[in-house]
Amino acid sequence: MRLSIVTIFGLLPLLCAAVKTKSIGSFEQFHRKFLSHPPLKLDDATYERLTAAPRDYTAAVLLTALESRFGCQLCREFQPEWDLVGKSWVRGDKKGDSRLIVGTLDFADGRGTFQKLMLQTAPIMMLFPPTTGPHAKPDAQAIRYDFTTGPQSAEQINDWIIRHSPDGPTPPIYRPVNYTRLITITTAVLGFVSFASVAAPYIIPIIQNRNLWAAISLITILLFTSGHMFNHIRKVPYVSGDGKGGISYFAGGFSNQFGLETQIVAAMYGTLSFATIALALKVPRMADPKKQHIAVFVWGGVVFAMYSFLLSVFRVKNGGYPFHLPPF
């Protein structure tokens, strides 16, 4: 009996050393595979071995469903970012000083694990902290990350892993150069420069045309002073009935307006502007005095008639306005 007790106490250190050696050997084995194919592809068996206690390393595992028959669009959108996380850790920590393994468990390869964890959605990331060693945590429960806000970037996931991992090397995300995008942007810029250099003699005179900018400015002013933005904000009707079987083109009050009313007001202001411009610029240049007098009377009559109509519309909007001009 005494010999058995002595034997047990003698073998106890050897057993502890064997467990420790097994844990270290497991990390080295997983790390070699991780260096070859990041992130490490898992199935039910390798997932159990990777996450089993005791472990003196951290394991970050993405549980996903990539096959199209599962209909997980979020899984397929996030997978390239997750692959980038694994490759960045391999590139920045080839010696394994951080003691982190990044793995992927697809539903097609780990159906039993999904059933065991009672997972109904994907993707889900699990971070398993070390249970032994200097960085062991008292609570060795896995930390879960749910993708509730949609697909995350590799930088966001990497920051989350670093925040919940023991102190050690923290490799940044190394994004490969997108040569397709670079070539596309370069081609587009060169094409634009070539087009601009060829078309410049034809486009610059148009851009520098004062009449063109005057017309654009006038149209813009008429458009916005007539209430165009008011119609878009309030979603006003185009016309309305007057209650007598007819159509009302103008809404009473300053806080109401119809869509057709805006167009009529813009046409009135446009006519007044054009008549004023003609009187100020065109009529003085006429060489024939007789035609000049006729033009003055014609454009003056247009201004008078349109201003009379404008006052009548204003009286519709404000019933208490006392002034008017004939004929309206």
Side-chain angles (χ1 to χ4, degrees):
M1 186 68 177
R2 183 178 300 174
L3 180 61
S4 299
I5 296 175
V6 172
T7 304
I8 292 174
F9 278 102
L11 293 177
L12 187 59
L14 298 177
L15 293 174
C16 294
V19 171
K20 183 177 181 180
T21 303
K22 180 181 178 181
S23 176
I24 297 175
S26 298
F27 172 75
E28 292 177 348
Q29 180 183 4
F30 284 121
H31 188 254
R32 284 195 299 269
K33 294 181 180 179
F34 178 46
L35 291 176
S36 302
H37 303 285
L40 186 63
K41 188 175 181 180
L42 305 173
D43 54 22
D44 284 332
T46 52
Y47 174 85
E48 289 294 334
R49 288 167 46 205
L50 179 66
T51 60
R55 58 180 180 273
D56 59 349
Y57 54 87
T58 304
V61 180
L62 177 69
L63 297 100
T64 185
L66 297 176
E67 294 187 10
S68 57
R69 59 193 174 104
F70 300 127
C72 183
Q73 181 67 24
L74 179 59
C75 299
R76 293 190 291 272
E77 291 179 359
F78 176 69
Q79 189 60 38
E81 297 295 308
W82 181 248
D83 294 340
L84 192 59
V85 172
K87 293 176 181 177
S88 297
W89 278 88
V90 167
R91 179 177 177 179
D93 185 27
K94 292 184 178 181
K95 295 181 179 180
D97 295 333
S98 63
R99 303 192 71 79
L100 174 71
I101 302 296
V102 179
T104 304
L105 179 62
D106 193 1
F107 182 77
D109 302 320
R111 189 183 300 268
T113 301
F114 274 77
Q115 294 176 351
K116 180 180 179 180
L117 298 176
M118 294 183 292
L119 299 179
Q120 301 294 329
T121 59
I124 293 174
M125 188 171 62
M126 308 283 285
L127 187 69
F128 298 87
T131 60
T132 61
H135 300 294
K137 291 188 177 182
D139 184 10
Q141 293 294 327
I143 305 173
R144 176 167 168 168
Y145 184 92
D146 293 297
F147 295 80
T148 56
T149 58
Q152 304 293 315
S153 66
E155 288 78 8
Q156 292 173 308
I157 297 300
N158 192 53
D159 292 341
W160 184 84
I161 293 175
I162 293 173
R163 189 165 60 251
H164 292 86
S165 299
D167 296 335
T170 55
I173 296 297
Y174 299 96
R175 288 193 176 272
V177 178
N178 191 341
Y179 292 101
T180 302
R181 182 179 181 185
L182 182 61
I183 293 173
T184 302
I185 294 176
T186 304
T187 304
V189 171
L190 293 177
F192 176 78
V193 172
S194 301
F195 172 78
S197 61
V198 173
Y202 307 97
I203 296 177
I204 291 179
I206 297 175
I207 296 177
Q208 294 178 343
N209 191 300
R210 295 174 59 186
N211 294 330
L212 174 64
W213 287 107
I216 294 175
S217 301
L218 183 59
I219 293 173
T220 304
I221 292 172
L222 294 175
L223 185 66
F224 287 100
T225 56
S226 62
H228 178 74
M229 289 305 300
F230 182 92
N231 295 345
H232 277 275
I233 295 172
R234 297 291 186 90
K235 306 297 182 182
V236 299
Y238 189 68
V239 292
S240 179
D242 60 358
K244 300 178 183 179
I247 297 176
S248 178
Y249 299 103
F250 300 97
F254 293 113
S255 60
N256 300 316
Q257 187 171 277
F258 296 144
L260 182 59
E261 177 183 341
T262 299
Q263 298 175 6
I264 295 175
V265 171
M268 286 191 297
Y269 282 133
T271 304
L272 286 170
S273 301
F274 186 78
T276 304
I277 292 172
L279 284 171
L281 300 178
K282 299 296 181 180
V283 174
R285 297 177 183 176
M286 290 182 176
D288 190 350
K290 187 176 180 179
K291 291 182 179 180
Q292 189 179 50
H293 285 113
I294 294 173
V296 169
F297 281 110
V298 170
W299 288 116
V302 171
V303 171
F304 185 85
M306 292 307 303
Y307 192 69
S308 173
F309 184 57
L310 180 63
L311 285 179
S312 68
V313 173
F314 189 78
R315 293 184 67 186
V316 173
K317 304 295 291 184
N318 184 8
Y321 190 71
F323 305 104
H324 71 283
L325 282 176
F328 297 102

